[in-house]
Amino acid sequence: MEPLSTTRSRQTSVLSLVVIVSSLGYFVDIYDLLLFTIIRIRSLNDLGITGDAQQTVGLSLLNFQMVGLLVGGILWGILGDKKGRLSVLFGSILLYSLGNIGNGLIHGPHVIFWYKFFRLIVGLGLAGELGAGVTLVSELLPADKRGYGTTIVASVGILGAVAAYFVAQIIPSWRVCYFVGGGLGLLLLILRVGVLESGMYKAIQHLPVSKGNYLAFFTNANRFFRYLTVILLGLPAWYVVGILIAFSDGFAKTLQIQGTPDPGKAVMISYTILTLGGLACGYLSQLLKSRKKALYIFYIICFLAVVAYFRAYHVSLATFYLICGLLGLGVGFWSVFVTVAAEQFGTNLRATAAITAPNYARGALPLITLLYHFMEKQVFQSNVLGAFWTGVICIGLAFLSALWLKETYGKDLNFVEKI
């Protein structure tokens, strides 16, 4: 018989590996999402797509990736509850790694077709990793410690955006940038070999319980509103990243900032601080023993940062970048958001919820953009006022959703949803 200390040491090593692999998986996930944004124009120029056609093709590529994220979220979610969390962790990493390599190899007369095809494949792959990792970590760690694990996964993974920025700055070839992402994913699969499946999942794996039934979210009123409100918790993140940061150069012109910001640099700064914000929000939820209180505090920080952003008339470029960092700090609630998504549902639906919710929050960006354009052109005739009130709506919906949801800190996750 092994000494108790040896057994505990082995268990700690196994749990640490789960957190590391999940964190690095999300790192590569975010690396690819932001890398595409950073090198899209460079790649299209090299492929001979210029002028008005470049914007049309670029939007089409983004849409193909978004379709992959939304469809993949559902498919991986169902698979995670039917076949296990590890099947998703392995399959999603493999798929987006091969998709990245494919992006770097595209040539020939139908090159744009293949670019779209591989962005779709990458989107399908990216859809599964975060939710699967958070689900696995949530089910393996003790109830009073799991917030630390999921926070590390969601926060450290965000640094992939920073890596994407510097890789794109250092490596002139956009093809090699894609190869780097694909290579990182394939290397990650080697680490994944030592990761164990969730004990909670294995306990129900062969029981006659409905698992991964996506329609179950829509056949029960309480479950549906839990699911909807969880998704709404993430709206402010993609409002900030997809509107304020992505179009920071346009808003800076209206605000008469002293200089022209580089959106890529704004992304890098905001995501760097977002990592710190994510760690802070997750730690705060553990300290306060409340996910909801941590969310309230960070929604308020996010709102104050949005106010500062739109009050930044005539400020220096350095000050404007600082405000972009404050926005990233406010979006630090993302780490608690993904934790709540896993904690709200039973083991037989947990992966489906945890995988689809972040992807629906991402997928809400086109709707947020439509709302912004409506507010800008039809209501205020001002991009600043339109964007500000769009933010008020997104943050307000998220805050109200947090009020409605039940507290999940320390909740026993060893239960199933009755379907």
Side-chain angles (χ1 to χ4, degrees), residues 26-181:
Y26 190 40
F27 177 96
V28 181
D29 175 318
I30 294 295
Y31 170 93
D32 183 75
L33 278 177
L34 272 296
L35 179 70
F36 172 65
T37 301
I38 294 168
I39 67 174
R40 183 185 69 244
I41 294 176
R42 189 193 308 178
S43 65
L44 291 178
N45 282 335
D46 187 50
L47 296 174
I49 308 299
T50 58
D52 293 339
Q54 190 173 97
Q55 183 175 0
T56 302
V57 173
L59 182 61
S60 180
L61 288 167
L62 186 61
N63 287 338
F64 269 77
Q65 177 177 283
M66 191 60 66
V67 168
L69 283 167
L70 294 176
V71 174
I74 297 173
L75 295 178
W76 288 121
I78 294 172
L79 184 65
D81 281 323
K82 287 185 177 295
K83 300 298 181 182
R85 290 47 168 139
L86 286 184
S87 63
V88 177
L89 205 60
F90 177 84
S92 62
I93 293 172
L94 178 63
L95 195 60
Y96 69 61
S97 298
L98 295 178
N100 265 324
I101 293 170
N103 273 144
L105 293 173
I106 55 174
H107 281 93
H110 304 293
V111 67
I112 298 302
F113 167 81
W114 288 110
Y115 205 166
K116 292 177 182 178
F117 173 78
F118 283 115
R119 288 325 296 169
L120 176 67
I121 295 299
V122 168
L124 287 169
L126 293 175
E129 200 286 328
L130 173 61
V134 167
T135 301
L136 191 59
V137 169
S138 296
E139 293 178 340
L140 287 173
L141 291 179
D144 62 337
K145 298 291 192 299
R146 64 171 174 259
Y148 293 122
T150 55
T151 294
I152 291 171
V153 172
S155 301
V156 174
I158 292 293
L159 287 174
V162 182
Y165 174 79
F166 284 109
V167 167
Q169 296 297 313
I170 295 169
I171 301 176
S173 170
W174 60 273
R175 295 182 185 275
V176 175
C177 290
Y178 278 131
F179 291 151
V180 169

Side-chain angles (χ1 to χ4, degrees), residues 190-258:
I190 299 174
L191 280 178
R192 173 248 177 254
V193 173
V195 177
L196 298 179
E197 181 59 90
S198 159
M200 288 186 194
Y201 172 75
K202 288 195 292 186
I204 70 162
Q205 188 174 9
H206 301 296
L207 294 180
V209 176
S210 178
K211 297 181 283 291
N213 182 352
Y214 183 67
L215 294 180
F217 290 113
F218 307 96
T219 57
N220 176 278
N222 177 273
R223 191 181 299 124
F224 170 74
F225 281 108
R226 263 188 292 151
Y227 187 52
L228 177 62
T229 48
V230 163
I231 293 169
L232 293 176
L233 293 178
L235 287 187
W238 290 93
Y239 157 72
V240 167
V241 173
I243 302 292
L244 304 190
I245 301 299
F247 298 101
S248 55
D249 52 343
F251 289 116
K253 185 176 181 180
T254 304
L255 295 169
Q256 300 177 32
I257 303 300
Q258 299 170 28

